[in-house]
Amino acid sequence: MKVLVIGGGAREHALCRSLSLDPDVTALHCAPGNAGIAEVAELHAVDQLDGDAVARLATELGAGLVVVGPEAPLVAGVADAVRAAGIPVFGPSREAAELEGSKAFAKDVMAGAGVPTARSYVCTTPGEIDEALDAFGAPYVVKDDGLAAGKGVVVTDDLATARAHALACDRVVIEEYLDGPEVSLFAITDGTTVLPLQPAQDFKRALDGDEGPNTGGMGAYSPLPWADPKLVDEVLETVLQPTVDELRRRGTPFSGLLYAGLAITSRGVRVIEFNARFGDPETQVVLARLATPLAGILLNAANGTLADQAPLRWRDDAAVTVVVASHNYPDTPRTGDRITGLEEIAELDAPHAYVLHAGTKRDGDAVVSAGGRVLSVTATGTDLARARERAYAAVGRIRLDGSQHRTDIARKAAEA
């Protein structure tokens, strides 16, 4: 089949890489893509928030499947426009994507589904904000109700910082702090059947030791050697299936990728948030371990035939991703800096380590930075220690003026 992927980040590069290795994919297209994706897919210029434009492009290409990567096009209803054109699409409708587009909506769905989550208040006035902050106390957890590219959450012990973030949002969700390690678990669903993938853990803070501001994610690893072997089955039973069932009951069936951000607390598993798409950078490590060809899984979800999907096969190898970010990220990043060392990685580290592009573009013969998170260096190995070693060896070959990366991705898990 011909496949069109919408988006231009490292998540989309990971998806395109997996799809390019699938023997059933006869042609691969991406819009708008990036400098790295151009090596495995034909790029097209399109406004990824314009559903009609995306549907026209898919029709012109004769695409048999459209995969919508980022959250903003999903919340804008791009998947609806593609479906209306009669083309199978992997990604939820605009109504169902509100599970990520509005944290207040997600809380309401969880309440209806009986899904365990943090107690919370939805606030729109300074008085409500002060009351909620006082009710929960520190650490304060303050979430912008809408999309914020993974950077709309503030967790702080400082009341003034928490209040300032809350006041800057039109509508805000303030909730109790959840203790314990965090886990990301993806599930592919057609609105009825739910197929969980392998769990991963990502690192949100900018600096080593989980210091610094929240980011879109600075690295990830999978599998989780410290996690309960029954975790996936438990989350499927208590979180994923009930949520999908509740959305279908409401008349807004969710088809696509349901991402549960979880806290493994002293009181059990709790949902921190839902996303309506593959997470970045967790996708990079999860797909590195998936042995089943990807296109057929996504097409089954799009066509409502996921119940016919054979059990997924997984590689035994561990995977680690380290994000290389530009100067000043997550604040306004510097762009336009030349990136070198990519050819060395392809020559010396492949196939165990490779680079997935995020914020990059071509400038003549050069590849230059074009965003905050620039590259995702991903490596596999027999265990996390070996995967880490390979990932950081590859990172060491990259030269990007002013770049930054964390040095402790997966360290604790690898040493456990």
Side-chain angles (χ1 to χ4, degrees):
M1 76 183 95
K2 295 179 180 178
V3 181
L4 170 62
V5 176
I6 302 302
R11 163 186 47 230
E12 288 74 38
H13 194 175
L15 288 164
C16 285
R17 180 181 183 274
S18 290
L19 290 166
S20 74
L21 299 172
D22 188 329
D24 287 336
V25 176
T26 55
L28 184 58
H29 303 267
C30 187
N34 61 39
I37 294 173
E39 297 175 9
V40 295
E42 183 179 344
L43 303 191
H44 303 269
V46 73
D47 179 356
Q48 59 182 339
L49 300 180
D50 185 338
D52 291 337
V54 171
R56 279 195 304 272
L57 175 62
T59 301
E60 291 166 7
L61 295 174
L65 174 66
V66 174
V67 180
V68 183
E71 60 272 24
L74 292 168
V75 172
V78 167
D80 302 90
V82 176
R83 280 195 190 92
I87 300 170
V89 58
F90 182 81
S93 67
R94 173 166 51 194
E95 285 187 314
E98 279 297 288
L99 200 64
E100 177 169 5
S102 168
K103 291 177 176 59
F105 175 75
K107 287 289 188 182
D108 187 60
V109 170
M110 283 187 267
V115 167
T117 186
R119 294 178 297 125
S120 63
Y121 294 105
V122 179
C123 307
T124 56
T125 68
E128 290 174 344
I129 288 168
D130 290 338
E131 189 175 332
L133 291 171
D134 182 61
F136 289 129
Y140 303 102
V141 181
V142 183
K143 299 180 176 182
D144 190 335
D145 180 54
L147 293 180
K151 297 187 285 289
V153 179
V154 166
V155 181
T156 179
D157 287 321
D158 184 73
L159 178 59
T161 300
R163 191 171 190 273
H165 181 65
L167 291 171
C169 304
D170 289 334
R171 186 161 76 153
V172 67
V173 175
I174 297 173
E175 62 184 41
E176 67 175 327
Y177 176 76
L178 296 175
D179 65 317
E182 295 184 13
V183 173
S184 300
L185 184 61
F186 302 160
I188 292 171
T189 178
D190 58 7
T192 302
T193 300
V194 181
L195 187 64
L197 305 185
Q198 289 290 303
Q201 186 174 60
D202 77 331
F203 295 75
K204 288 293 188 191
R205 299 284 188 170
L207 307 176
D208 284 5
D210 291 328
E211 299 291 334
N214 262 348
T215 71
M218 295 299 291
Y221 70 93
S222 178
L224 311 182
W226 49 267
D228 187 330
K230 299 176 183 176
L231 176 65
V232 173
D233 290 339
E234 178 188 347
V235 175
L236 174 62
E237 182 181 340
T238 63
V239 173
L240 299 170
Q241 191 71 58
T243 300
V244 169
D245 292 345
E246 173 68 11
L247 284 165
R248 188 176 67 252
R249 186 189 67 78
R250 292 175 178 226
T252 54
F254 187 105
S255 171
L257 195 290
L258 178 58
Y259 165 144
L262 308 165
I264 313 302
T265 77
S266 55
R267 294 174 293 148
V269 174
R270 298 289 185 273
V271 175
I272 301 169
E273 64 175 355
F274 282 128
N275 290 331
R277 40 71 194 180
F278 280 102
D280 182 349
E282 301 98 320
T283 301
Q284 289 86 304
V285 292
V286 172
L287 292 186
R289 299 186 57 228
L290 179 64
T292 302
L294 182 61
I297 308 170
L298 304 186
L299 185 63
N300 276 333
N303 286 336
T305 54
L306 201 58
D308 299 332
Q309 174 68 45
L312 299 184
R313 293 179 290 108
W314 295 92
R315 298 183 178 92
D316 292 333
D317 279 2
V320 172
T321 286
V322 180
V323 171
V324 177
S326 57
H327 177 73
N328 205 41
Y329 178 77
D331 294 325
T332 305
R334 191 174 78 201
T335 59
D337 290 311
R338 186 184 179 101
I339 304 164
T340 59
L342 302 178
E343 297 83 0
E344 293 175 41
I345 295 172
E347 181 182 342
L348 300 174
D349 300 301
H352 300 297
Y354 49 89
V355 178
L356 299 168
H357 291 232
T360 70
K361 69 177 182 180
R362 280 275 172 192
D363 184 4
D365 291 335
V367 176
V368 301
S369 60
R373 291 186 295 172
V374 181
L375 303 167
S376 282
V377 179
T378 301
T380 57
T382 51
D383 55 27
L384 285 173
R386 186 71 175 121
R388 280 192 85 245
E389 182 182 312
R390 287 171 169 167
Y392 279 107
V395 168
R397 304 189 201 281
I398 293 169
R399 292 172 290 282
L400 170 61
D401 188 41
S403 68
Q404 55 176 313
H405 65 272
R406 283 184 58 160
T407 66
D408 62 347
I409 303 301
R411 179 189 290 159
K412 286 183 180 178
E415 293 173 350

